[in-house]
Amino acid sequence: MNIRPYKETDKAFLVSLSTRFAKFDLMAWRDPQKMEEAQLKIAEESLNDPSLYTEIFVAEEETGDLLGFIEVKPHKDFLSGLEQGTL
């Protein structure tokens, strides 16, 4: 396995994975379709206009087949005001 920086050619793959973040048992009042749409929107916004200091890395097989990704970005904790990292 190889971990490398994100390339624009990875975009469709990363967006296709984003809906998996909504594939879990939701509270009854949550609309699964709206959750999936929200995840797609978040992924597209993140890739089209990344936050300052955001880094995206892609995991791939030696064959070049894509496996997954990780996004690392700074985040200020709402309650404490401390700078933290978000994965």
Side-chain angles (χ1 to χ4, degrees), residues 6-82:
Y6 165 80
K7 297 186 280 191
E8 186 68 26
T9 55
D10 302 323
K11 184 176 181 177
F13 172 73
L14 272 61
V15 170
S16 75
L17 291 179
S18 68
T19 59
R20 293 176 71 186
F21 292 118
K23 300 287 186 205
F24 57 90
D25 291 333
L26 299 170
M27 293 170 266
W29 54 272
R30 293 244 186 211
D31 181 325
Q33 181 64 34
K34 289 187 184 212
M35 291 292 291
E36 196 167 298
E37 290 169 5
Q39 289 300 327
L40 278 170
K41 182 179 177 186
I42 291 167
E44 289 171 346
E45 287 175 356
S46 181
L47 294 170
N48 291 333
D49 188 23
S51 308
L52 188 60
Y53 306 117
T54 296
E55 298 289 340
I56 300 173
F57 299 94
V58 176
E60 64 184 1
E61 290 283 3
E62 299 301 326
T63 60
D65 292 334
L66 302 178
L67 300 170
F69 72 98
I70 187 167
E71 179 181 24
V72 183
K73 63 183 175 180
H75 166 77
K76 184 177 261 186
D77 183 76
F78 180 76
L79 298 174
S80 69
L82 295 174

